Each structure stands twice: as structure tokens, then as C-alpha cells.
Amino acid sequence: MNKKSSYQLMQGNEAAAEGALAAGVSFFAGYPITPSTEIAEILADRLPANGGKFIQMEDEIGSIAAIIGASIGGCKALTATSGPGFSLMQENLGFACLAEIPLVIVNVMRGGPSTGMPTSPSQGDVMQARWGTHGDHPIIVLTPSSVEEAFHYTVKAVNFAEKYRNPVIVLMDEVIGHMRARVSLPPESMVERVNRVQPNMPPEWYLPYERSATGVAPMASFGDGYRYHVTGLVHDAKGFPTANPNESRDNIRGLFTKIERGFRELCIVDYEQMDDAEHAIVAYGCMVLSARSALEQLRSSGRKVGLIKLGTLWPFPRFALEHYLPQLKTILVPELNMGQIYREVLRVNAGKAVIEKLNRVNGTIITPNEIVKTVKGMTR
Amino acid sequence: MTQTSKTQNLPTPNNHPRITIFSDWCKSCGICVAFCPKEVLAMTADHEVLVKAPEKCIACHMCELRCPDFAINVEEHATGPDSQKGELQ
Amino acid sequence: MISNSQLVNKYFRHNKKFPHIWCPGCGIGTILGNMLRAIDALALDKNDIAFVSGIGCTGRAPVYVDFNTLHTTHGRALPFATGLKLARPELKVLVATGDGDATAIGGNHLIHACRRNIDITTIIFNNYIYGMTGGQYSPTTPHGDKASTCKLGNIERPFNISQLVEAAGATFVGRTTSYHTLQLQNIIKKAILHKGFSVVEVITHCPTTYGRINKKGNAVDMLKWQKEVAIDKSRADKMEPKELEGKIVTGILIEKQLPEFCEQYDNIIEAAQNLKNSKPGGSK
Ligand SMILES: Cc1ncc(C[n+]2csc(CCOP(=O)(O)OP(=O)(O)O)c2C)c(N)n1
Ligand code: SF4
Ligand code: SF4
Ligand code: SF4
């Protein structure tokens, strides 16, 4: 491979679009919104050139509905949006969770609530990504911290969606989405592609919602001869609505079981200088960039500080913390919100270490110096 | 689906359409009775559809097309006991 | 024509509980039955049919029939169907939707689907009310009529669905009633064969809510009303507007050929691929 030409300068949004294509996405439906619009624009050009399809819908409710429809038709489908659009998608996101439809939503977060700060970075949608749609439901949320990760995590998101028959959200912040970096992307042949399992049994035997050993049933595409029913009502293994308490329980619990079975695989966590760390910074998205340079300063001033970088936010990788808790005195969670992952860290910590949060909701980022100062204060 | 629909097996002469009511599915809405152009059907006091005058039936199928419950069947060429084909199996 | 028992054997899901959930006399079952007859007359393969619905009493139709069936969220059947159709253009996509589903919560999707001219057949079951939630007024409840949320009379003016979709650009618009079953079959057949977005508005009755609160009698009385007010387009065309007051014009109201969305998109794919191949180093 020619090393030189494999390096390209690109934005996080561009990298996400490239990731989608590399993962085999063949359908995109969306509605323009800052700061995610570039993804739609790129895919509007690139998809048809690759034989895929793009449609600009009348709103985000229609966008997610269309990708669900396309996914049922057998396409790997993706949409991209930002806060207000993500809010509009919530009802149908729940549909996709219950009906177990693979799809990916890239949410390039902006300041909220409401129209908020359209062009400013924020990490305010962490809890919405977890609980935005009503009812108990499983969700997978990945969050890239670099342009290169925007590519790789989008690929992973598509693969997880297909494997687990579940919606996956790529939660990017505006900084990563619009940041330009020199990246080296693997050639398409080197990118792992996971395809949903198709049924191979005769149609009369097919149970579209049977919990197999993996917890995930094969998914037939409409038009392939399986003629089954897809509904947003709680259903039995055949897909038909049920009011039977046992079948209802099996339906809802089954959704969680499949995610629990894949828990380790789904949790992407990286550790930097954690081996001897007595203090940890837990960060994700653009906060990793600030945390990383703070780490260098803190290490050079002799403090044993490490970084736990969350690539997966949901399911929350609690083992990543639990493993290090015995050696940790303090943990700092810097976030561009009022403290959404902080609470999760508190919950896992259960009183063992001293935990502090560092928050910002004014449309600017938390600088390395601010992190340094805070950690110094905590480790005095 | 209810497989055991009670059917009114009426002694229909071969040259008359054979009318079958699936009582289990019938909700006694009266639509078939009201719009039959030949007054073939009637509603009993127990809210059951009665095939009162099968010989008058002209097999226009209007009762069948309007029945919201797929509970009435009209077969034109009843040919004795073999004419069960169209029924629920 | 296929008999009811043949229809049941051929098209119904035999593991579904019957009788179905709809109230005695409700027009939804009648419309469903005649839709199946239209499909049967066209000899379509069941594997090639996708039947999509939203939420409401009407939305419960797909579960009973042996097609590829998709019961979506309230008002959203059309965008689900749009994605599915684009993914599988070879499928015949039919949508069943209530008046509230189609023109209130889903109104935006409806007009845009019309404008796009995507090859989907939409059957709107217009019973003038929200049946499933117990009879609240809908965008088609006539002015002055009652509903559980306007007991003193509706002060909003109703949509005329056929006019609405015509203005939005639907290339096929048909209207009939659940009384006129042969016309209903005929229009649905033509709508399915039409290349482009087709809408069939079916005036129907909800005896349980709209009928009761407005003292319109039972299902039989409501069907008689449909028979009286319907006037075929061929006759209506020769009548003065004044004579048509209180009448509902039925028949095929609009039928025209315009480029269909999926076919146009295929052209886009071709153009994009030519562009890519003509660019130096553009094989990526
Ligand atoms: C987002 C949302 N809002 C409200 C409802 C409640 N709801 C269910 S059906 C319905 C109205 C159905 O009326 P219509 O579409 O006319 O169909 P019908 O029941 O008359 O066939 C409503 C408001 C819902 N399911 N989802
Ligand atoms: S129309 Fe059908 S449901 Fe109604 S009374 Fe007649 S057979 Fe029974
Ligand atoms: S087929 Fe026609 S004539 Fe015969 S019973 Fe039915 S409606 Fe009456
Ligand atoms: S409530 Fe109305 S629309 Fe719903 S099933 Fe009953 S009669 Fe039909």
C-alpha cells in the first residue's frame, strides 16, 4: 500500500460518512441540520455512485422512519442529525428497538436544549441517547474522540447494529465533527463488515423474534419470501402482538439479554497511563483531547494521573472503572454538560474514591489548563 | 383463526347458490340482510342471520362483499356434497 | 370473483384470532376484503406485496393478512413505506391509514409523498373521527358535527382529502365508499397498477364513535347515507356546483403520468456512476 496517498486531511463528519460507506451502508435518509449536514451532503454524492440510495425527507421523523423501512428491505441504513432532529427521532427510535431493526444514527451534538447553540460544541445528549425514547429499551452508544475514530466507530456502529439487530447511536460532538485532521484510513478490503444473519429455514419455520443462542434471531428482508409481521406493539416470537404476560416479559427482557450477552464486545474503552495511576480522568469525545494534554502536564509535575477514555457510553462500561477503583484516590469527569456521565461514574464508584466533575455549558470547551488546575486541587 | 365455525348447512337444490354463514365470525351487524336485493336473508330474534329464501338468491355477492367480518359465503355452482371446497379447512 | 372462504384461505394468517378486533358493522373489514379482492384479481404474488399501516383501528389491518406486513407508528406509515420502496422497488407497497393518521399527525408525510410521486398505493380509511382513541374529532370531522372533544359541535373546517392530495401532486386520486364495493375494488386495482403515488380515499363509517355521538344510526344506516351522498364523477361532471352540495363525488378523480421517484433515482445512480468512472482516479 502506498503510505503517502493513504493519508488524507478530513473532518470528523467526513470520516463518519467514509466509515458508513466502508461498512456497507447503502441507504441514507436525513434532514439538514448543523453541525451534521456535511454527512448528508457527502452521502448524497457518494451513495448513488456506489449504487446506494439517498433521500432527503421532510423532517427527522420521516428520516428515521425511512431508514427503518429500508433496513427492513435489507439495506444497511444510516441517518445523521443533531439535537433538535435527534429529539424528533425518539419515537421511531423506540420502534426500532422493540422491532429489532438494525440502523445507525449519527448525532453530532450541539448546545441545547431547544435550538440552543447550533454551532457550538456540547455533550448534552448523553442521557437522551440512553433514555430519549419512552419505555425500557436497550441502546448502544459509541462516542469517537478523534477524526480517525469517527471513521472506525461508524464502521463498528454499523456492524453492531447488524449483529445485534439494534439501533446504534454514534454520539459525536461538534469539535470532533468539524475538526480537520490528517488521517490514514484502511483500504475498504481491510474493513471488517458484519452482515445481519438471514434465515435459511423454510418460511413456515421462521420465527423472526425467536431468541437463539446468541439472543438474536435471523432477520429476513421483506420480499425474500418470509412474509412476516413487524410491529411496534409488544409481540411474541412470531412478531404478532400479544397481551400475554409471559410473552410480553420475554419480549422486553429478551431485548436486554442480547445486549448483556454482548456486553464485553460492545464496550470500547482505552486506558492511558493507568497502570500506576492514583488519580484518573474519565473522558470521552473532545474532552479526551483536553484531558490528554492535561495528563502530560500533570505527569511531568509528578502526579500519578491516568486517563480512562470511553469509546462506548451505553451500555456503560462499568468494569473499566471497577478494575481501577482499588488503586484510585480521585476521579475527575470533565464534560460539556451539567454532569451526565459523572452520575454514572458516581453510581459505579459507590463511595470508594473522591469524584469531582468539571462542567461547561456555555458553548466553549474545557481547556487542558482548567483540567490541570482542578486535578491539582484534588490531589493536593 | 377459529377452525370450527358452525355452518348452517342448508338443503340447497343444485341449481341455487349455496349460502353459508360462519356464525362464529358473524357479529350480527345486519348489513348483509339490509342490502340483499332479493330479501334472501333475515335476522332472527337471537341476532342470527337466517337464510330465509335461498331459492331467491341471484348470487350478486353483495352480502359477501359488504360483510365486514368475512362471515358469509355465496357459492354459485353448488354441486351437492362435494361443494365444500371453498370452506374453511 | 373469489369467494369469502377462498379469500380467507388464501390471504389470511391462519394463526391469527378471528373474528377480528373491529366493532360490529365497522367498515374497515369491508375495505380490507375488497382490497384483497383487487389484489387477487391482479394475480399478484403474496411475496411481492408489502402492506404498511400506521396506528389506529385502520392500522390493525395488516396483521391479519399473509403479506410482508409492517405496523408502524402513528402517522408515519408513509415514510416507512418510502424507505422500504426505495430499498425494494420491486415490491408493491400498499399503505392503510386512517383520516387522523394520514392527515393530522401524518399530514406532512402525506403531502410530501404526493409531491415525490413515489410508487406507493395509499388507502385512506376516512371515517371522520379518531376511532381507536374513542371518538375525538379529526381533520375530516365535518364542521358542526360532534365528537368527544367537541361535544357542542366542531368549529374547525374539515379537509377534503382528495382535493388535498390532488393539490399536493398525487398522480392518481380515487374516491369511493365502503358501500360501493365493486367500485372500491376497481379503483384499488387501478391505483396499484398506476406508476406513481396513488391515493384511494374511502368514505367509511365508525358506528361506535362517530355514528353514535352524531345520531347517525347503526352501520346499516350509515351505509345508506354513503349510498345517497355518493355521485359518480361521470354524472357529477355534468352537474352544477349547487346541485353537488352535500354530495361526495366518487370515481377516479385524477390520473396522470409523471416521472416516478424510484425510476428517476435509478437515473441518478447511472449518472453518478458515469461521473465517477469518467473522473481520473475516480474508481474509489
Ligand atoms: C404519537 C401518538 N399520538 C397519539 C396516539 C394515540 N392514537 C392512537 S390511534 C389515534 C387516532 C386514530 O384515528 P384515525 O387515524 O382516524 O384512525 P381510526 O382509528 O379512526 O381508524 C390516536 C390519536 C398514538 N398512538 N401515538
Ligand atoms: S354482514 Fe356479516 S357480520 Fe354482518 S350480519 Fe351479515 S354475516 Fe354477520
Ligand atoms: S348473493 Fe345477493 S341475492 Fe344472494 S343472498 Fe347475497 S345479497 Fe342476497
Ligand atoms: S371504533 Fe369505530 S373505527 Fe374502530 S373498530 Fe370500532 S367502529 Fe371501527
Side-chain angles (χ1 to χ4, degrees), chain A residues 91, chain C residues 55-58 74 98-101 105 127 129-133:
Chain A
E91 186 196 10
Chain C
I55 297 290
C57 295
T58 303
H74 194 23
D99 42 292
D101 198 56
I105 192 163
N127 59 11
I129 203 135
Y130 289 172
M132 175 141 274
T133 40

Side-chain angles (χ1 to χ4, degrees), chain B residues 19 35-38 40-41 56-63 74:
Chain B
I19 305 170
F35 296 102
C36 170
K38 296 290 168 191
V40 174
L41 310 166
K56 288 198 209 154
C57 174
I58 53 167
C60 68
H61 296 282
M62 284 305 148
C63 52
V74 179

